[in-house]
Amino acid sequence: MKDLGLAQIYPLTDDISDAEPKVICTSFADPYLIVIREDFTAAVVQCDASGDLDELEKGDAFSETKWVSGSLYHDRQRLFRPPLTEMKSEGSNGESAEDQGTLVLLFMLSHDGSLQIFRLPDLSRPVFVAAGLSLLLPLLSADYSGRRSTARERVLEILVADLGDSVAKSPYLILRAANDDLIIYEPFQSPVPSDKTPDWSGLCFSKICTSTSCESSTATTQSHDGDDDMVPEQRLRLANDIGGYAVVFQPGSFPRFLLKGRSTVPRVLPLRGKPVRCMSGFHTGGCERGFVYGDTEGVVRVAQLPPDYSFAELGWAVKKIGLDAQVDAMSYHPSTESYVLGASTTTEYELPKDDDYHRDWAKEDVSLKPLIDQGSLKVISPTNWSVIDTYELPTNEVVLCITTANLEVSEVTHVRKPLIAVGTCSTHAVDLPACGSIYIFDIIPVVPVPGRPETNRKLKLLAKEDCKGAITALSEVGTQGFLLAAQGQKCMVRGLKEDGSFLPVAFMDMSCYVSVAKCLPRSGMCLMGDAIKGLWQEEPYKMTLFGKSSTRFEVLAADFLPDGDALYIVVADAECNLHVLQFDPEHPKSLSGTHLLHHRTFHTGHFPSSMVRLPSSANSSVLLHTTTSGAIALLTPLPEPSYRRLAAVSSALTTAVDWACGLNPRAYRAGGGGAAAGVGMGVGAAGGGGAGGVLDGAVLRRWDELGVARRREIEARVGSEGGEIRGDLRGVGLGGGLGKSVLGYL
């Protein structure tokens, strides 16, 4: 390995004043180097075979133009150049038909917001000019420039880089705006008529729809006016191999990676911690394909992307854990920070040998036995996401539901403790009724296995009770530490005694199969049902019906959604619809609260599997909705002013952007039966892409696809500033919202 040494100092002085302006931007692509100085002048330097640096000769137009940023790119895949097979042997662009090697292109961003591409080493004139770059149009080409009075975005930086993994990489044009938003364009060649020679005018750029807005940005979008100080503080960094990905890193207050998989669009992956000043790739024997960065406190850190995680598919850190079993239910135990899964595997079924009515079963010997599910409980540690304990159930018993309930474990001291409640179902034959059991487990500390410190937790069975009928739903209920269990067509409330037995407290006949049971903490209220029979408030030795839905639908998942003083209930049915109900005893149509008000129906298009309420603020919550197809959605309350603005934006986006196959997203979200009539929500069915008072986040997410002029037009129509809509969209992504609200679906 040769020692590094200083070979040459190349001065970059002003030709008139002999001053040395500060360098604000550089880019390198062998053998060229572009340098942009603080007086907005640029110099392109080339290294010859002997190692000497020589500045390329510039044309008059290049010298007189004020440049803000530049980027050099090796066009190895010929995605920017015209098709070579149709070109003349020596076209007007100066490229010969035999030139099939690597071409270095220079992308320059001028002070007036135009994009110019030069084919090095020729700087006399650009081969491609897009005067409308700062308009941020959905389709960028050399044909459109826009009027001079058209609103423009203040673009500070331009970068052309390959994004992808070790299998496939694609070039992208990345812009950084004054508010630190990233705008991504993908190049492509437009079709050329057969009677026309292909040239650089066929190059086009298509805007990529991805979540690239910066959460930390407080600067509002401004029109391009005058010679402002456009010197940026932080520049985008390019790293060719970070965990196998070719990435672009944006330093600053909220640092983030921009990466792409082999078959995905570019994704944004935030880096948590202190604001970052600088970053670079770092590859050594102890840190392979990692990166090093320095924060604002002067601390330098070396890090890696975990090799067993996937980042590019969703923009999240996703790890797949092989369990060799089907997962039927899951719950989180907060005190031990571990997860309990209910899984099932197939095993051979054998007839019971001790049946008094069929003694011949004991002598039966079958070589080809039928298969039946056998359930088990697995404890997973989040330290390394491995199974640390397993509890096997009998052969014909499977897990139907698991919940973590804060139960009272002592009738004397009234001590309460978070325990794992498990409901099961045992099936024997078609002519025998199904039965079930209730298990109560605690996770206790034990001596870990040598070499595996995470195995210091184990399941301990505290109580078990066999029931007539399968246990289909479990939930904590009331404020006294009781457990609600749906068994067969009954719902029973039980208390846990110190000797490990259960004490019946209350019951109610449901007359139907109960698929879901949820409680509202610190209220004594719970909802149950297959058709949402109603809300129930638990009192000592009594259960009182508060209200029930007037509409019949098959409920697969449901939960409360409190928002301030209002209490909503969201139901997911078998038709892939979400129904928004409200419990309001003061409303005249609720008949003193005995009927739940049906506000809206919203079609999701995915078969529901679960619904979990998550805390959002002191007076509001959000619902996390999962489906069997793998889709995850978030239902969040919105303040009334935010809803009105976003509803107008959603309505404009329905007609402003192109949809797949020309489909109507508003009609799709309305579902087969249409939206229910609005009651007391304060907003009618004119609210944009959803059914009435429910907004579609998939539509709102395409706001950044619009050009600057179109966004200004919609903002003027709504009567709000750009910062308000930007804050509303960011609030939906964070799941916030206070006050009297309607619902938004993301």
Side-chain angles (χ1 to χ4, degrees):
M1 178 178 179
K2 296 182 179 180
D3 296 333
L4 297 178
L6 179 62
Q8 183 182 0
I9 298 179
Y10 190 86
L12 295 173
T13 59
D14 187 84
D15 297 336
I16 300 177
S17 61
D18 291 336
E20 295 184 0
K22 180 181 177 181
V23 176
I24 62 173
C25 177
T26 61
S27 180
F28 174 76
D30 190 23
Y32 300 101
L33 173 68
I34 172 69
V35 178
I36 299 179
R37 293 163 285 200
E38 60 182 352
D39 57 355
F40 304 118
T41 61
V44 182
V45 182
Q46 180 181 9
C47 180
D48 57 18
S50 61
D52 296 332
L53 298 178
D54 296 317
E55 185 174 354
L56 296 182
E57 184 178 351
K58 297 178 290 186
D60 296 338
F62 189 91
S63 302
E64 295 173 359
T65 305
K66 291 185 177 181
W67 303 110
V68 176
S69 178
S71 177
L72 289 170
Y73 177 74
H74 279 287
D75 189 15
R76 298 183 177 90
Q77 304 181 33
R78 297 190 56 90
L79 294 178
F80 292 97
R81 287 176 280 179
L84 187 60
T85 57
E86 300 292 336
M87 294 175 56
K88 297 180 180 180
S89 60
E90 185 67 30
S92 59
N93 54 11
E95 184 179 7
S96 63
E98 292 79 16
D99 185 12
Q100 300 184 13
T102 300
L103 178 66
V104 179
L105 300 178
L106 174 60
F107 295 78
M108 297 295 291
L109 173 64
S110 65
H111 193 274
D112 59 0
S114 64
L115 170 66
Q116 299 186 25
I117 302 178
F118 295 86
R119 180 178 180 271
L120 297 183
D122 184 12
L123 295 177
S124 60
R125 61 185 180 87
V127 295
F128 178 86
V129 178
L133 177 67
S134 57
L135 299 176
L136 304 184
L137 299 173
L139 182 64
L140 180 63
S141 64
D143 301 331
Y144 184 84
S145 60
R147 298 187 301 269
R148 189 175 183 84
S149 59
T150 304
R152 296 174 180 267
E153 185 79 17
R154 189 182 178 190
V155 181
L156 297 184
E157 186 177 1
I158 183 175
L159 177 64
V160 180
D162 287 330
L163 298 179
D165 53 14
S166 58
V167 176
K169 295 183 177 66
S170 302
Y172 289 91
L173 173 64
I174 305 171
L175 310 178
R176 184 174 67 88
N179 52 14
D180 281 341
D181 283 357
L182 297 180
I183 302 95
I184 305 174
Y185 282 93
E186 183 178 11
F188 68 95
Q189 293 289 339
S190 61
V192 180
S194 58
D195 57 345
K196 183 180 178 182
T197 302
D199 55 8
W200 287 83
S201 62
L203 178 62
C204 299
F205 296 87
S206 176
K207 185 186 288 188
I208 300 298
C209 179
T210 184
S211 179
T212 55
S213 297
C214 185
E215 299 177 0
S216 63
S217 176
T218 57
T220 58
T221 306
Q222 304 176 3
S223 299
H224 190 178
D225 50 353
D227 294 338
D228 307 274
D229 183 13
M230 302 184 68
V231 179
E233 296 181 358
Q234 301 291 342
R235 291 281 174 175
L236 300 176
R237 305 291 194 270
L238 175 62
N240 293 324
D241 192 359
I242 302 295
Y245 296 99
V247 305
V248 171
F249 181 78
Q250 181 183 11
S253 300
F254 282 78
R256 48 187 178 167
F257 288 95
L258 186 64
L259 47 80
K260 175 187 176 298
R262 65 197 64 175
S263 60
T264 65
V265 297
R267 304 289 188 181
V268 174
L269 184 68
L271 177 65
R272 296 189 179 273
K274 301 293 182 180
V276 175
R277 290 186 179 272
C278 56
M279 174 267 180
S280 177
F282 190 79
H283 180 69
T284 62
C287 180
E288 296 184 357
R289 299 187 299 178
F291 60 96
V292 56
Y293 65 96
D295 58 22
T296 54
E297 296 182 353
V299 179
V300 177
R301 293 178 172 87
V302 178
Q304 283 179 298
L305 295 180
D308 51 351
Y309 280 77
S310 175
F311 300 93
E313 279 71 15
L314 298 175
W316 297 355
V318 179
K319 180 179 180 179
K320 295 183 179 179
I321 306 172
L323 298 177
D324 297 330
Q326 175 182 323
V327 178
D328 300 319
M330 181 181 67
S331 183
Y332 176 70
H333 195 257
S335 59
T336 59
E337 298 181 350
S338 55
Y339 296 86
V340 180
L341 305 181
S344 61
T345 57
T346 57
T347 184
E348 294 182 348
Y349 177 74
E350 295 185 358
L351 295 174
K353 307 298 183 181
D354 54 351
D355 194 311
D356 295 335
Y357 297 96
H358 303 84
R359 297 184 181 276
D360 55 330
W361 286 358
K363 303 177 182 179
E364 190 173 32
D365 185 13
V366 180
S367 58
L368 183 60
K369 299 179 181 179
L371 299 179
I372 193 171
D373 291 334
Q374 179 182 8
S376 63
L377 298 175
K378 299 178 182 294
V379 182
I380 295 182
S381 172
T383 304
N384 55 4
W385 301 107
S386 61
V387 178
I388 60 176
D389 187 32
T390 302
Y391 184 89
E392 296 290 344
L393 297 178
T395 303
N396 56 347
E397 190 171 6
V398 294
V399 177
L400 295 184
C401 53
I402 300 178
T403 185
T404 301
N406 193 18
L407 302 181
E408 182 180 289
V409 296
S410 175
E411 299 176 281
V412 179
T413 61
H414 302 287
V415 176
R416 301 178 66 175
K417 188 176 182 180
L419 301 176
I420 302 296
V422 181
T424 65
C425 174
S426 299
T427 56
H428 298 280
V430 294
D431 57 339
L432 297 177
C435 59
S437 301
I438 300 176
Y439 295 83
I440 302 296
F441 290 94
D442 189 12
I443 300 181
I444 60 174
V446 295
V447 178
V449 177
R452 296 188 61 191
E454 71 276 3
T455 59
N456 59 345
R457 296 289 186 267
K458 187 178 180 63
L459 287 173
K460 178 183 178 182
L461 180 62
L462 299 181
K464 177 186 177 183
E465 180 174 333
D466 297 329
C467 306
K468 295 181 179 179
I471 308 300
T472 58
L474 291 172
S475 174
E476 179 186 351
V477 64
T479 59
Q480 302 177 8
F482 292 151
L483 180 68
L484 172 68
Q487 55 186 75
Q489 297 184 1
K490 294 180 181 292
C491 285
M492 298 192 65
V493 178
R494 294 176 171 87
L496 184 62
K497 300 172 65 175
E498 295 184 6
D499 58 356
S501 60
F502 289 96
L503 175 65
V505 176
F507 77 96
M508 178 167 285
D509 291 322
M510 299 296 296
S511 302
C512 67
Y513 173 87
V514 177
S515 60
V516 60
K518 294 292 181 69
C519 72
L520 187 62
R522 300 182 299 275
S523 68
M525 303 180 68
C526 67
L527 65 87
M528 299 175 293
D530 178 68
I532 291 294
K533 277 288 187 177
L535 288 171
W536 314 87
Q537 182 180 17
E538 186 274 326
E539 297 178 3
Y541 304 99
K542 184 179 180 182
M543 298 184 72
T544 304
L545 171 64
F546 269 10
K548 62 181 180 180
S549 61
S550 57
T551 306
R552 295 285 181 174
F553 35 74
E554 184 179 354
V555 178
L556 299 181
D559 208 334
F560 290 102
L561 184 60
D563 183 42
D565 297 333
L567 179 59
Y568 298 98
I569 301 171
V570 181
V571 179
D573 64 7
E575 301 296 330
C576 304
N577 295 324
L578 289 181
H579 302 271
V580 181
L581 312 176
Q582 184 182 8
F583 175 68
D584 187 6
E586 298 180 358
H587 198 281
K589 292 187 177 181
S590 67
L591 303 179
S592 300
T594 57
H595 285 74
L596 301 176
L597 303 178
H598 192 170
H599 284 288
R600 294 292 180 264
T601 299
F602 183 84
H603 185 68
T604 64
H606 299 274
F607 199 76
S609 59
S610 68
M611 194 173 292
V612 181
R613 184 179 64 256
L614 303 176
S616 175
S617 61
N619 298 321
S620 181
S621 302
V622 297
L623 291 183
L624 183 65
H625 177 49
T626 62
T627 63
T628 56
S629 59
I632 301 177
L634 189 69
L635 193 69
T636 172
L638 293 176
E640 187 74 17
S642 298
Y643 170 79
R644 292 186 179 273
R645 287 191 293 267
L646 293 182
V649 171
S650 180
S651 179
L653 287 174
T654 304
T655 57
V657 299
D658 296 330
W659 300 97
C661 302
L663 299 177
N664 188 347
R666 185 172 181 176
Y668 171 71
R669 293 303 187 187
V679 180
M681 299 293 282
V683 181
V694 183
L695 300 179
D696 188 358
V699 175
L700 295 174
R701 194 178 294 113
R702 302 189 65 176
W703 167 256
D704 292 332
E705 282 191 36
L706 300 179
V708 179
R710 186 72 171 120
R711 275 185 275 177
R712 297 292 186 276
E713 179 184 345
I714 296 177
E715 291 167 1
R717 187 190 310 169
V718 175
S720 63
E721 300 178 354
E724 293 179 342
I725 295 181
R726 179 185 175 87
D728 293 338
L729 293 173
R730 190 165 60 248
V732 171
L734 297 177
L738 295 173
K740 178 175 174 57
S741 306
V742 291
L743 300 177
Y745 180 87
L746 177 62

